[in-house]
Amino acid sequence: MSTYPDPVMRFLHAGDRFSQEHRFPEAVEQYRKALKACAARLAREPGNTRALFDQALCHTGLEQYADSERILRGLLRSDPDHHEARVELARVLSRQGLYEEAIALLTTAREEQPDCGATLVGLGVVHAQLGNIERALEHLGHARRLNPEDLEPELETARVLEQAGDVSASIDRYRRILKRHPDQAEVRYEYATLLVDVGELEWAEAELGRLCREHPQQARFHAALAEVLVEAARIGEDIGAANVLERYQQWRRFDATSLALGMDALNRLFSSEIGRAHV
C-alpha cells in the first residue's frame, strides 16, 4: 500500500523525489499527473482550498512560478490566515529574486506560528540569499533545536556555512548529517562536490565511489567520479595506484547503457593503466 493514499500527494512526492535526483523528465511527468488530479478534484469541488494549494505546489515543481504565485495570492485573499500558503508564496517569490517580500511574508508567518520549522528554514534560506549569514544561521539554529531529527535545517546550515566561506565547518556538518542519514545519496553527492571544490580529491573519490556502488544506474555519479579521477591525473596524483585501479574495475561492472552515459572519460583515462595492471 502506498504511503500517500491521496493520488495528488503521491504524484507530488514522486515529483519531488525525481527532481532531487535530477531525473527531470520523470519529475515533470509526476507533477503533470498531480495537476490533472487537482483539476479533477476542483471540477467536483470548486474552490477546494487543499486542491488549490496542491495545484500551486505542482506549478512550483514545474517552475511555473507565475501560476503558483497567482493561486497562492488568491488563497491568501480568501483566507488571510492560510499559513502554508504564506510560507509557500514566500518560497516562490524568493525563487524569483523577490527577497524582501518573501522575508515580510515569512516574518508574518513566524508571528503566527513562532515554532514552525518550515518558516524558520525559509527565513534562513532567504537571509542567506541576501548575504545576511548571521541572521540565516540564527534562524536555522532555531529550527534545528526545535526538531533535531529534521534533515532540512541541518542541510541548509551546511550550505550557508559553505557560502560564508567556513568550509571546514560545512564539511563537518555534512559528515554529521551523513552519519545520521547515510542513505541520503543527494546529500552525499553535495558533500563530494564540496570536497572536489576544496581539492580533497581522495575523499571525494571515496564518496563518489560509494555512490556508484550503491546507485549503479545513476550516470551522473559515474560522470562525477570520472571528472575527479581525470582532475587527479591532470595535477599528477597517482591514480594508477593498484588500489584505485581495483576499485575502478569493481565500479565499472554496471549496465552498459548507464555506464556509457557517465564513464567514457574514465574508460579513456584508464585504458592503458588497466592493461599494464594485467601484464
Side-chain angles (χ1 to χ4, degrees), residues 61-129:
L62 291 166
E63 298 186 359
Q64 297 169 347
Y65 299 129
D67 290 326
S68 183
E69 180 182 344
R70 172 180 50 78
I71 294 167
L72 293 166
R73 289 191 187 279
L75 277 172
L76 287 169
R77 281 194 298 272
S78 61
D79 180 7
D81 296 326
H82 197 307
H83 181 80
E84 286 181 296
R86 197 182 314 283
V87 174
E88 180 62 17
L89 178 57
R91 185 165 74 110
V92 169
L93 292 174
S94 71
R95 290 189 176 186
Q96 299 176 87
L98 301 172
Y99 303 125
E100 297 299 337
E101 186 178 357
I103 285 180
L105 285 164
L106 289 166
T107 300
T108 300
R110 188 180 183 188
E111 291 169 355
E112 296 169 345
Q113 297 186 24
D115 292 336
C116 173
T119 301
L120 292 165
V121 170
L123 281 165
V125 169
V126 177
H127 275 294
Q129 289 168 327

Side-chain angles (χ1 to χ4, degrees), residues 32-269:
R32 286 176 176 166
K33 286 181 178 179
L35 271 177
K36 187 175 179 180
C38 286
R41 182 175 299 173
L42 287 167
R44 296 191 304 270
E45 305 172 52
N48 181 291
T49 301
R50 183 72 238 182
L52 287 167
F53 181 72
D54 289 343
Q55 192 177 54
L57 294 179
C58 296
H59 286 300
T60 301
L62 291 166
E63 298 186 359
Q64 297 169 347
Y65 299 129
D67 290 326
S68 183
E69 180 182 344
R70 172 180 50 78
I71 294 167
L72 293 166
R73 289 191 187 279
L75 277 172
L76 287 169
R77 281 194 298 272
S78 61
D79 180 7
D81 296 326
H82 197 307
H83 181 80
E84 286 181 296
R86 197 182 314 283
V87 174
E88 180 62 17
L89 178 57
R91 185 165 74 110
V92 169
L93 292 174
S94 71
R95 290 189 176 186
Q96 299 176 87
L98 301 172
Y99 303 125
E100 297 299 337
E101 186 178 357
I103 285 180
L105 285 164
L106 289 166
T107 300
T108 300
R110 188 180 183 188
E111 291 169 355
E112 296 169 345
Q113 297 186 24
D115 292 336
C116 173
T119 301
L120 292 165
V121 170
L123 281 165
V125 169
V126 177
H127 275 294
Q129 289 168 327
L130 287 170
N132 302 329
I133 301 301
E134 187 174 344
R135 294 287 300 280
L137 292 174
E138 176 187 338
H139 290 300
L140 292 170
H142 188 179
R144 293 198 311 275
R145 289 189 295 274
L146 283 172
N147 188 357
E149 300 303 315
D150 190 359
L151 173 63
E152 188 175 16
E154 289 280 0
L155 183 55
E156 292 298 343
T157 299
R159 291 167 175 164
V160 172
L161 289 168
E162 179 186 357
Q163 176 187 338
D166 194 345
V167 174
S168 177
S170 179
I171 287 174
D172 287 344
R173 181 71 58 178
Y174 274 112
R175 287 174 177 167
R176 285 200 294 271
I177 294 170
L178 289 168
K179 186 175 181 179
R180 294 166 62 183
H181 305 276
D183 59 337
Q184 289 289 329
E186 293 305 316
V187 177
R188 193 172 300 280
Y189 182 70
E190 276 191 32
Y191 171 52
T193 301
L194 173 58
L195 292 174
V196 172
D197 289 344
V198 299
E200 295 288 356
L201 299 185
E202 184 176 354
W203 290 357
E205 178 212 333
E207 296 298 336
L208 291 167
R210 174 172 175 167
L211 286 170
C212 289
R213 292 194 303 274
E214 294 178 353
H215 305 275
Q217 305 306 317
Q218 281 281 3
R220 66 195 175 93
F221 295 162
H222 296 291
L225 175 61
E227 290 178 6
V228 167
L229 295 176
V230 168
E231 175 63 12
R234 188 188 68 78
I235 65 176
E237 290 196 5
D238 185 14
I239 59 169
N243 63 328
V244 176
L245 289 173
E246 182 180 354
R247 287 198 297 274
Y248 166 65
Q249 287 172 297
Q250 292 170 355
W251 296 333
R252 73 198 298 246
R253 299 191 187 108
F254 303 125
D255 174 77
T257 303
S258 296
L259 187 64
L261 293 172
M263 298 298 283
D264 286 344
L266 192 55
N267 286 329
R268 290 195 300 271
L269 176 66

